[in-house]
Amino acid sequence: MNHDDVTARRRLPRSTPEEQGVDPRALTALVGALTTVPELHSLMVVRHGHVVAEGWAAPYAPDVVHEVYSLSKSFTATAVGLAVGDGLLDLDDRVVDLLPEAVPPVGADQGGLSDDERDRLSRLTVRDLLTMRTGHHEDPSEAAILGGRPWTAGFLAQPLAHEPGTHFVYNTVASYVLAAIVHRVTGESVLDRLHARVLGPLGFVGPTWYLSPDGIETGGFGLSATTEDIASFGELFLRDGVWAGRRLLPEGWVAQASAAHVPPGTNPGDEHSDWAQGYGFQMWQSRHGYRGDGAFGQFCVILPEQDVVVAMTSAFADLQRPLDAVWTHLLPALADHPAPADPEGRAGLHRALADLALPWPQGAATSPRAGALDGRRLELEPNTLGLGAVRLTAGPEQDSIELELADGATVTLAAGHAAPVAGVLPPEPPFHPEPRPVLTHAVWTADDEYVLTVRLTRDVTALTARVVLTQDHVRIEPRLNVSFDDPVLPVLRGRVTTTAPSTPAA
């Protein structure tokens, strides 16, 4: 099934905040707090089933899908719930029975597991995968995914130090195994099954999901959806699996999925951390309500007591701060009855939402030193980023940047001066197996300083590279806005080696 159409589909009714008992000035304060924790990409607040605040920071937009990282896990768990409701799966089914071909060989001396490890593995259940109490002492995801074998086999080959069901370790590959099980017992892809039963009725139009090398949705990450998609998914859970009078999820599944199967305090953290409140079926308990969430602040916060859903996409390094902002500004702003009309407060909210933007570096289209780079090949010293050389061809409105990778491949991007220019980055499997649209921008911020910015438009990442010229040598200082590792990347050094005829920028 092809889900490429990303036409916006507004399916939630809109309302003024006051009509739904929400103070618009408090929503303005929430937007202000979130924009001080860069970067907010989008925000949607829903009260009593009505959208009372929504905004996007360009290039993010209502009709553009955004990768939601580990929020994908909550959707994978929902596919499990459908299979359980259809009688195709039981939460106490053993993983070794569901995926027998992935079970490692007998005997540690044969590259398999010891007898004790196999014994523990034999008791691993679907429920244990859902609650991430798989028995691993540390997250096995990297070893399983990058081990050069099918991801299910890589997961089952990792020794279980604890009895399944007794030790919580957050791990993404467990979610992938759930996706593989759904695929096995239903004979359908996770996305197709979800789209037919849940996402389609909710009005999703353009969701995409990364696939593993075996053609199965990655489960724990890789889903992309719009902000209203996320909000609608939260509304479905808030309404106990019923949408527009139609039951989409099995009765009782929402209560099971949102319960604290892993009790508070199990995951290390202080009592004020929203990651120490317990864990359900691929959903976190929060200090208020519960949530699905993904790296860098992809949130679907569900507040049953307040009848609220908050959907958010962002690039936050500190995930606690945006949740703190919601608790601080939104919760006190909620009343059990409509609030008095506040046109001035509502106008302030609209301005705050309309002003959401992600700035691009400011500078000039050219420099007295631009000729030192124009058409030249900048040969780089060996580096861990896999970049061999760069060639810049200058233009009055945009430059052409050709990147030569260490493996011989090349990537060319047009970089606009007054405004960024759309382009595409090649796939980077296994985590980014599809081409990725980007916007690229470049300006001279000083005579000897050139700043290049590349932003993924359906993901969180933005790369800024500061290029400093010293005679015929260059120093490139790359930095990411957010990263699982250090966002400050290794400095690249090189020199200008050749001159080539200039050609107009693409």
Side-chain angles (χ1 to χ4, degrees):
M1 175 181 279
N2 187 348
H3 307 303
D4 290 336
D5 180 11
V6 292
T7 303
R9 181 176 293 179
R10 286 164 56 120
R11 70 223 73 152
L12 293 169
R14 270 59 178 173
S15 172
T16 67
E18 302 97 305
E19 289 174 328
Q20 306 306 323
V22 186
D23 179 358
R25 296 172 189 262
L27 289 171
T28 304
L30 172 62
V31 173
L34 292 174
T35 53
T36 63
V37 193
E39 305 165 339
L40 178 66
H41 295 171
S42 73
L43 174 69
M44 183 172 286
V45 179
V46 186
R47 181 89 195 280
H48 301 326
H50 293 72
V51 176
V52 296
E54 57 185 317
W56 289 261
Y60 305 101
D63 60 343
V64 176
V65 296
H66 189 291
E67 186 172 348
V68 300
Y69 287 81
S70 286
L71 178 52
S72 308
K73 293 176 170 67
S74 301
F75 289 81
T76 298
T78 301
V80 172
L82 293 177
V84 170
D86 292 342
L88 301 174
L89 193 61
D90 190 278
L91 295 180
D92 294 319
D93 283 346
R94 303 192 314 162
V95 176
V96 294
D97 295 333
L98 295 165
L99 301 170
E101 76 289 346
V103 178
V106 178
D109 58 340
Q110 302 296 318
L113 301 178
S114 68
D115 289 343
D116 286 346
E117 291 165 347
R118 286 181 65 86
D119 191 43
R120 282 194 286 272
L121 180 61
S122 72
R123 293 189 288 276
L124 179 67
T125 67
V126 172
R127 188 188 307 272
D128 299 328
L129 295 175
L130 283 167
T131 59
M132 295 198 179
R133 295 178 297 177
T134 57
H136 297 94
H137 190 68
E138 297 180 345
D139 182 1
S141 299
E142 184 173 342
I145 291 174
L146 301 179
R149 65 179 100 187
W151 295 3
T152 50
F155 172 82
L156 295 182
Q158 306 306 309
L160 305 185
H162 307 273
E163 180 66 20
T166 65
H167 185 75
F168 175 82
V169 169
Y170 188 81
N171 75 88
T172 287
V173 71
S175 307
Y176 172 73
V177 175
L178 288 169
I181 288 172
V182 169
H183 190 274
R184 173 64 55 86
V185 301
T186 67
E188 296 180 81
S189 78
V190 175
L191 185 54
D192 280 353
R193 188 168 180 80
L194 278 174
H195 202 275
R197 300 280 295 276
V198 176
L199 308 186
L202 287 180
F204 283 52
V205 174
T208 62
W209 208 321
Y210 293 155
L211 301 180
S212 75
D214 291 322
I216 297 169
E217 284 83 354
T218 47
F221 65 96
L223 175 66
S224 291
T226 69
T227 312
E228 191 158 351
D229 290 340
I230 298 169
S232 299
F233 183 74
E235 273 292 303
L236 178 66
F237 271 72
L238 196 59
R239 310 298 166 206
D240 192 32
V242 175
W243 179 265
R246 174 184 171 192
R247 175 160 291 284
L248 302 183
L249 301 182
E251 190 168 357
W253 178 256
V254 169
Q256 279 189 289
S258 61
H261 299 279
V262 176
T266 301
N267 194 45
D270 64 51
E271 62 181 6
H272 299 295
S273 168
D274 280 290
W275 282 264
Q277 307 305 314
Y279 195 73
F281 287 172
Q282 309 281 286
M283 283 186 164
W284 291 96
Q285 294 289 303
S286 297
R287 284 178 290 161
H288 306 277
Y290 60 96
R291 71 192 189 281
D293 76 31
F296 313 122
Q298 322 317 310
F299 288 118
C300 180
V301 179
I302 302 166
L303 304 174
E305 290 186 14
Q306 293 81 13
D307 200 18
V308 166
V309 170
V310 179
M312 191 185 313
T313 61
S314 57
F316 297 142
D318 181 353
L319 299 189
Q320 187 60 63
R321 287 182 65 186
L323 290 177
D324 286 346
V326 172
W327 310 148
T328 299
H329 297 288
L330 180 61
L331 289 184
L334 304 174
D336 294 332
H337 47 76
D342 183 1
E344 185 176 323
R346 194 162 62 250
L349 172 61
H350 289 164
R351 285 194 299 272
L353 292 167
D355 288 345
L356 290 177
L358 298 176
W360 299 90
Q362 298 299 301
T366 188
S367 154
R369 297 293 309 278
L373 290 182
D374 187 16
R376 304 288 186 94
R377 184 174 185 272
L378 310 179
E379 185 175 306
L380 302 176
E381 296 175 358
N383 58 80
T384 58
L385 301 183
L387 191 60
V390 179
R391 189 187 304 274
L392 181 150
T393 304
E397 297 183 359
Q398 59 188 46
D399 296 340
S400 176
I401 312 292
E402 182 182 279
L403 308 175
E404 298 180 18
L405 307 184
D407 62 5
T410 61
V411 177
T412 301
L413 295 171
H417 303 312
V421 176
V424 177
L425 288 180
E428 288 187 70
F431 298 113
H432 299 289
E434 303 292 335
R436 292 168 294 162
V438 296
L439 288 177
T440 306
H441 177 268
V443 290
W444 289 87
T445 55
D447 285 355
D448 59 353
E449 183 176 286
Y450 182 81
V451 177
L452 173 72
T453 305
V454 181
R455 176 176 291 280
L456 295 167
T457 58
R458 299 187 179 186
D459 200 339
V460 304
T461 308
L463 169 70
T464 301
R466 177 174 174 260
V467 182
V468 180
L469 284 74
T470 305
Q471 295 181 341
D472 63 347
H473 288 75
V474 295
R475 183 176 77 252
I476 303 176
E477 302 170 356
R479 181 186 181 92
L480 298 170
N481 56 342
V482 288
S483 173
F484 289 108
D485 302 308
D486 189 344
V488 179
L489 301 176
V491 172
L492 306 178
R493 301 181 188 277
R495 61 190 181 91
V496 179
T497 59
T498 61
T499 303
S502 296
T503 57

